[in-house]
């Protein structure tokens, strides 16, 4: 049988291919990307119909639709053409077109931008199969448990009913950024898979290949808080793993695209000015001017951008196995978080 795992996140796909290389009976080509569905080497035959027996789609919320794709849009259109699908077909449509039994692992809380396949499109395409999904209610990453995940979601949505503590799990808010960094250094010494991560609230000035504006001088850093200068991750591919060997990489700040799908020992989350506190509504909301992912906000309404940015922080705040530490740049939002997160001492 032709059975494959689709991993839409390129960096995670390569990590899985390396990690599973020594599993008996497993081949690197068993983990593929969505566009590999039209490659003859994977079993695709034009005009034959469904060429794959079983396809398991990890991180299915990262499957793309034809919006905000940047330079990859040309290849996207070629896949639609090879499959005989209309130009606006999604990568989910590719899977349904080619897999006799597709199994989608889909989490709507991890849909982080306009290009992601939406939940309503998923339900419409799957029809009756979507009416009774298999629900994976328990998670085995965060030691704070399912209650912690719900708590994070409620804080971000502004509907938290009261302060909670989680036995055996460090969930701390830092008032001072220097204290945040000192705490990170201690955890990094004890657990070398601890990392700093942040929302896309600072321009990526050090991005390899970035064209400088007229008169602009190349920058050596991207983020500056209280006089401390930090860089975004220089690579998305295996950034977490590389930091275990290279302390310079470990002291970079990971964006959502470098961390989604990965686990950390301790997560140090910097919440920038892409998320502010609305005093009238009494809850957090997105700030388009403070959000620098151009593909992440194109054609997005205010309501959609709220959801995308809150989902980004939901992902970042649920990476840490042993604990999550938080620094919030906006003072009003920091005060709001202080109602629900224990202050570091």
């Amino acid at each position: 049988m032709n059975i494959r795992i689709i991993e839409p996140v390129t960096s995670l796909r390569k990590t899985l291919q390396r990690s599973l290389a020594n599993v008996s009976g497993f081949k690197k080509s068993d983990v593929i990307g969505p566009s590999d569905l039209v490659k003859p080497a994977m079993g695709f035959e034009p005009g034959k119909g469904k060429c794959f027996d079983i396809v398991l789609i990890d991180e299915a919320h990262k499957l793309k639709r034809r919006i905000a794709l940047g330079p990859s849009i040309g290849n996207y259109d070629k896949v639609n053409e090879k499959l005989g699908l209309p130009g606006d077909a999604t990568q989910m449509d590719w899977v349904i077109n080619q897999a006799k039994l597709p199994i989608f692992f889909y989490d709507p809380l991890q849909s982080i931008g306009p290009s992601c396949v939406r939940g309503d499109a998923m339900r419409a395409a799957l029809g009756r199969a979507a009416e009774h999904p298999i629900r994976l209610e328990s998670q085995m990453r965060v030691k704070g448990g399912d209650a912690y995940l719900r708590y994070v979601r409620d804080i971000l949505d502004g509907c938290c009913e009261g302060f909670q503590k989680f036995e055996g799990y460090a969930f701390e808010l830092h008032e001072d950024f220097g204290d945040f960094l000192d705490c990170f250094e201690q955890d990094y010494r004890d657990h070398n898979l601890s990392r700093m991560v942040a929302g896309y609230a600072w321009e990526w000035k050090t991005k390899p290949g970035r064209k400088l504006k007229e008169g602009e001088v190349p920058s050596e850093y991207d983020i500056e808080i209280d006089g401390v200068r930090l860089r975004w991750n220089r690579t998305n591919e295996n950034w977490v793993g590389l930091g275990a060997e290279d302390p310079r990489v470990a002291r970079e700040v990971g964006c959502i695209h470098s961390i989604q799908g990965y686990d950390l020992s301790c997560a140090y989350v910097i919440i920038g000015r892409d998320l502010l506190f609305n005093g009238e509504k009494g809850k957090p909301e997105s700030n388009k001017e403070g959000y620098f992912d151009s593909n992440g906000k194109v054609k997005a309404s205010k309501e959609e951008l709220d959801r995308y940015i809150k989902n980004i922080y939901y992902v970042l705040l649920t990476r840490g196995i042993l604990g999550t530490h938080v620094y919030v740049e906006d003072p009003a939002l920091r005060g709001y978080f202080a109602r629900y997160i224990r202050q570091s001492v």
Side-chain angles (χ1 to χ4, degrees):
M1 297 181 75
N2 189 357
I3 303 173
R4 310 279 173 165
I5 298 171
I6 285 184
E7 177 51 69
V9 183
T10 304
S11 59
L12 186 54
R13 180 164 66 249
K14 292 180 179 179
T15 298
L16 286 174
Q17 289 171 338
R18 283 192 299 270
S19 301
L20 299 173
N22 295 321
V23 174
S24 178
F26 200 91
K27 305 185 297 297
K28 182 178 179 181
S29 60
D30 289 336
V31 182
I32 65 175
S35 61
D36 292 328
L37 288 169
V38 297
K39 291 183 178 180
M42 302 298 172
F44 174 69
E45 295 182 40
K48 185 182 177 181
K50 297 181 186 289
C51 300
F52 296 80
D53 295 296
I54 302 173
V55 177
L56 298 95
I57 305 91
D58 186 35
E59 305 280 341
H61 38 269
K62 292 288 286 182
L63 291 173
K64 302 298 184 187
R65 56 184 184 136
R66 197 183 183 278
I67 293 177
L69 296 179
S72 65
I73 197 165
N75 184 61
Y76 187 97
D77 289 342
K78 288 179 182 177
V79 174
N80 272 336
E81 184 179 345
K82 288 182 180 179
L83 293 175
L85 294 173
D88 61 351
T90 69
Q91 290 183 339
M92 177 186 62
D93 296 323
W94 300 357
V95 175
I96 293 172
N97 178 275
Q98 281 298 301
K100 296 172 184 174
L101 175 58
I103 302 172
F104 296 91
F105 292 85
Y106 184 85
D107 182 357
L109 294 175
Q110 295 195 51
S111 178
I112 59 167
S115 64
C116 296
V117 171
R118 298 154 70 114
D120 54 356
M122 176 73 72
R123 289 188 292 272
L126 296 181
R128 292 184 62 188
E131 294 176 7
H132 303 286
I134 299 170
R135 297 191 180 276
L136 305 180
E137 300 287 2
S138 298
Q139 59 82 39
M140 296 185 290
R141 174 192 295 121
V142 181
K143 290 189 179 297
D146 298 338
Y148 170 76
L149 270 61
R150 289 191 297 270
Y151 191 57
V152 167
R153 189 166 68 241
D154 288 346
I155 293 172
L156 292 169
D157 286 340
C159 59
C160 204
E161 295 182 354
F163 181 86
Q164 291 186 42
K165 290 194 297 185
F166 301 91
E167 190 69 31
Y169 191 77
F171 189 32
E172 297 185 2
L173 178 70
H174 295 257
E175 181 75 24
D176 179 76
F177 193 62
D179 175 62
F180 178 86
L181 293 174
D182 291 343
C183 198
F184 165 74
E185 291 292 342
Q186 178 61 55
D187 272 332
Y188 176 64
R189 285 193 291 271
D190 295 339
H191 310 283
N192 68 359
L193 289 182
S194 298
R195 297 288 180 274
M196 289 184 286
V197 292
Y200 212 149
W202 293 269
E203 190 176 359
W204 194 355
K205 296 178 181 178
T206 64
K207 185 176 183 178
R210 174 179 174 267
K211 291 184 180 180
L212 297 178
K213 301 170 185 175
E214 187 175 349
E216 184 181 2
V217 177
S219 180
E220 296 182 356
Y221 66 94
D222 303 293
I223 299 167
E224 183 170 2
I225 301 174
D226 292 346
V228 178
R229 295 174 172 179
L230 301 166
R231 292 177 61 122
W232 281 122
N233 51 279
R234 275 166 280 190
T235 177
N236 284 337
E237 184 178 339
N238 195 31
W239 174 73
V240 174
L242 291 173
E245 306 294 333
D246 188 339
R248 294 172 301 174
V249 174
R251 290 180 173 87
E252 295 171 350
V253 178
C255 70
I256 184 66
H257 306 300
S258 68
I259 199 66
Q260 196 163 15
Y262 290 88
D263 298 341
L264 300 174
S265 298
C266 298
Y268 280 75
V269 182
I270 304 170
I271 299 180
R273 294 184 182 274
D274 53 346
L275 193 68
L276 302 177
F277 182 67
N278 185 319
E280 293 183 5
K281 296 181 180 178
K283 61 182 181 181
E285 69 174 16
S286 65
N287 173 33
K288 189 174 184 178
E289 288 68 33
Y291 184 53
F292 288 90
D293 188 346
S294 55
N295 286 336
K297 58 186 177 183
V298 64
K299 296 184 178 180
S301 67
K302 170 64 175 172
E303 182 180 6
E304 289 171 331
L305 193 62
D306 276 354
R307 189 71 269 153
Y308 297 147
I309 291 178
K310 288 179 181 180
N311 281 359
I312 287 170
Y313 282 114
Y314 173 78
V315 172
L316 299 181
L317 290 163
T318 56
R319 298 297 96 188
I321 297 171
L322 304 175
T324 300
H325 294 253
V326 185
Y327 177 80
V328 183
E329 192 175 25
D330 176 54
L333 185 63
R334 192 185 314 146
Y336 167 77
F337 271 73
R339 302 177 200 170
Y340 307 110
I341 307 176
R342 183 174 71 88
Q343 298 242 10
S344 175
V345 294

